Amino acid sequence: MGRLAQTDGLTEIQRDILATVRDFVDKEIIPVATELEHKDEYPTAIVEGMKQLGLFGLTIPEEYGGLGESLLTYALVVEEIARGWMSVSGIVNTHFIVAHMINAHGTQEQKDHFLPKMAAGEIRGAFSMSEPGLGSDVSAISTKGVRDGDSYVLNGQKMWLTNGGTSTLVAVLCKTDEGGSSPYKNMTTFLIEKTAGFGPNPTVPGLTVPGKIEKMGYKGVDTTELVLQDVRIPADRVLGGVPGKGFYQMMDGVEVGRVNVAARGCGVARRAFELGISYAQQRSTFGKKIAEHQAIQFKLAEMATKVEAAHQMMVMAARKKDSGERNDLEAGMAKYLASEYCKEVVEDAFRIHGGYGFSKEYEIERLYREAPMLLIGEGTAEIQKMIVGRRLLEEYRIAE
């Protein structure tokens, strides 16, 4: 396995879980990932395998049928899965975010209704905050929910839903204008149960998932839009039962998501390093293995250092969240560092492969197309730097 990206202080249960997932990745994901990715084919067999391992219930409390594990365990599992194929980690990411939001903010009825089925993988979640004209400015949200008796009527268009077609539960952020002057108190999260599939939804009148968005990478997993035209949702499907708390609920979920993206960056970078150092010991130029050339050794040293630094930053952010403390500073740092380092490590591995790195026969070609998504997912590098900068000014503010 090598000495990189090790985590101190894990329990025996955590080590056993990671060993099981690592074995699953090596046997069930890596051998088929490139073929499925090139076909843009949903990894049905892999998802069924993850259900059997109980991974969809990894962080859901035991009282609801889950494993009750920590965010750290979740992040380390995601790192292992992303090492095999980043798209598969995306399938569990939004599911985990929605499960976390329901467990942290949902009513008891919502927890009892959703969490046991989510733990079993029978209900799979998707997370819907972004919109076509929204970008990083969540306050500019335009999808609207209007109270009508015991229901809300939702209208608008959402964008960039991972698992938008295959999910059966979507947490959707809408503007509700019930919280006063602050735009951040006028947003509400709705829990929408739907049937998996594309096109007009047969069980939710007015809800449409138009189809998959074609992407340069991050294939296999479906990324979609969500169109809502007079969609009627019962008021008891407002997350937490009280409108106006959606922004804060979503930001809590995004913190979990940022640790996830950091973990994905760590996993992809580690796989790129493995491919690079292996290829360097097989390829010969000028009468010796290219691993014996000082230039390549320097490159491998830089790659390994970045893999290790990103992993330890990700672990710190996950442990901070597990402690119950505010972790937006650490999550922002981890997401920023891991995604940037992932891009750099993948590119260095690509360079080590030379012309063969440009061939679809080699795995590094897939990683080269996957890494850019991490630069923008769950907030761009610029957004992370804004968050980190503001938090640092709070922490180090001088007396006036």
Side-chain angles (χ1 to χ4, degrees):
M1 189 173 91
R3 65 185 296 170
L4 290 183
Q6 299 298 301
T7 309
D8 294 333
L10 297 181
T11 66
E12 185 176 350
I13 292 175
Q14 288 174 312
R15 290 194 297 270
D16 288 345
I17 290 171
L18 291 175
T20 300
V21 172
R22 191 175 301 119
D23 185 63
F24 179 78
V25 168
D26 288 339
K27 292 179 179 178
E28 306 296 334
I29 297 182
I30 290 177
V32 300
T34 296
E35 180 183 357
L36 292 175
E37 197 271 349
H38 287 170
K39 293 179 180 178
D40 198 7
E41 182 177 329
Y42 188 78
T44 302
I46 293 172
V47 170
E48 287 301 313
M50 292 194 299
K51 283 172 63 176
Q52 292 174 17
L53 291 176
L55 294 186
F56 285 99
L58 185 65
T59 60
I60 294 173
E62 293 181 11
E63 63 189 284
Y64 300 109
L67 297 179
E69 277 295 325
S70 64
L71 178 61
L72 175 62
T73 307
Y74 153 74
L76 296 175
V77 165
V78 165
E79 181 181 28
E80 291 293 342
I81 294 173
R83 174 182 158 267
W85 184 13
M86 192 184 75
S87 293
V88 177
S89 67
I91 291 171
V92 296
N93 176 38
T94 55
H95 178 84
F96 281 139
I97 291 176
V98 176
H100 168 80
M101 290 170 62
I102 293 173
N103 187 53
H105 306 287
T107 65
Q108 191 59 54
E109 185 275 333
Q110 290 167 354
K111 295 177 186 180
D112 292 340
H113 179 75
F114 290 113
L115 292 181
K117 295 176 183 177
M118 295 184 80
E122 296 170 8
I123 288 179
R124 296 213 295 275
F127 174 84
S128 180
M129 182 170 63
S130 188
E131 297 181 3
L134 192 62
S136 299
D137 182 11
V138 181
S139 66
I141 188 171
S142 61
T143 298
K144 196 162 186 177
V146 177
R147 185 76 184 241
D148 183 20
D150 293 333
S151 302
Y152 282 83
V153 179
L154 312 183
N155 282 281
Q157 183 180 4
K158 309 299 284 188
M159 192 71 172
W160 306 119
L161 279 76
T162 299
N163 298 323
T166 50
S167 62
T168 51
L169 172 65
V170 187
V172 182
L173 185 66
C174 297
K175 186 177 180 181
T176 47
D177 291 339
E178 294 178 298
S181 59
S182 170
Y184 300 106
K185 293 182 180 179
N186 282 296
M187 302 183 208
T188 299
T189 303
F190 293 92
L191 301 173
I192 302 178
E193 294 180 84
K194 70 179 186 65
T195 305
F198 300 97
N201 200 270
T203 57
V204 185
L207 184 74
T208 302
V209 179
K212 292 198 299 185
I213 298 170
E214 296 295 327
K215 301 161 295 188
M216 69 180 247
Y218 197 41
K219 294 179 179 291
V221 60
D222 49 297
T223 304
T224 74
E225 298 174 74
L226 185 73
V227 179
L228 305 106
Q229 296 179 310
D230 294 328
V231 174
R232 187 171 290 273
I233 299 298
D236 63 7
R237 286 298 173 256
V238 168
L239 179 60
V242 180
K245 297 184 177 181
F247 175 78
Y248 307 100
Q249 294 163 348
M250 285 276 174
M251 290 303 102
D252 183 27
V254 165
E255 283 185 10
V256 171
R258 283 177 179 150
V259 173
N260 170 279
V261 172
R264 283 198 255 181
C266 292
V268 173
R270 181 146 58 95
R271 183 59 180 166
F273 172 79
E274 291 171 356
L275 294 173
I277 198 168
S278 175
Y279 186 81
Q281 295 173 78
Q282 300 172 46
R283 174 74 169 171
S284 295
T285 61
F286 303 103
K288 59 183 178 181
K289 302 295 184 185
I290 63 172
E292 297 176 30
H293 292 289
Q294 189 180 64
I296 299 298
Q297 290 179 10
F298 282 3
K299 199 175 291 292
L300 292 171
E302 292 169 0
M303 293 163 67
T305 301
K306 290 173 181 177
V307 167
E308 185 67 21
H311 174 84
Q312 299 303 337
M313 179 71 81
M314 177 270 291
V315 168
M316 180 188 69
R319 283 183 161 145
K320 194 79 168 180
K321 184 77 170 175
D322 281 331
S323 73
E325 297 180 65
R326 182 176 177 180
N327 89 322
D328 53 346
L329 175 68
E330 291 78 11
M333 285 180 168
K335 192 275 174 183
Y336 167 61
L337 189 78
S339 59
E340 294 291 335
Y341 276 179
C342 175
K343 176 201 69 172
E344 294 169 12
V345 171
V346 168
E347 182 169 343
D348 281 342
F350 176 84
R351 290 171 182 269
I352 287 171
H353 279 74
Y356 288 106
F358 208 62
S359 167
K360 282 184 174 288
E361 294 182 19
Y362 284 76
E363 190 177 341
I364 192 63
E365 181 270 342
R366 169 170 62 83
L367 271 58
Y368 194 78
R369 288 183 291 102
E370 289 178 339
M373 197 285 289
L374 299 173
L375 299 173
I376 54 176
E378 312 295 4
T380 62
E382 289 73 22
I383 288 295
Q384 307 311 317
K385 286 189 274 190
M386 283 175 57
I387 292 169
V388 170
R390 288 171 181 170
R391 287 288 287 116
L392 290 173
L393 286 171
E394 288 179 23
E395 294 284 339
Y396 290 88
R397 188 171 303 280
I398 60 173
E400 296 181 359

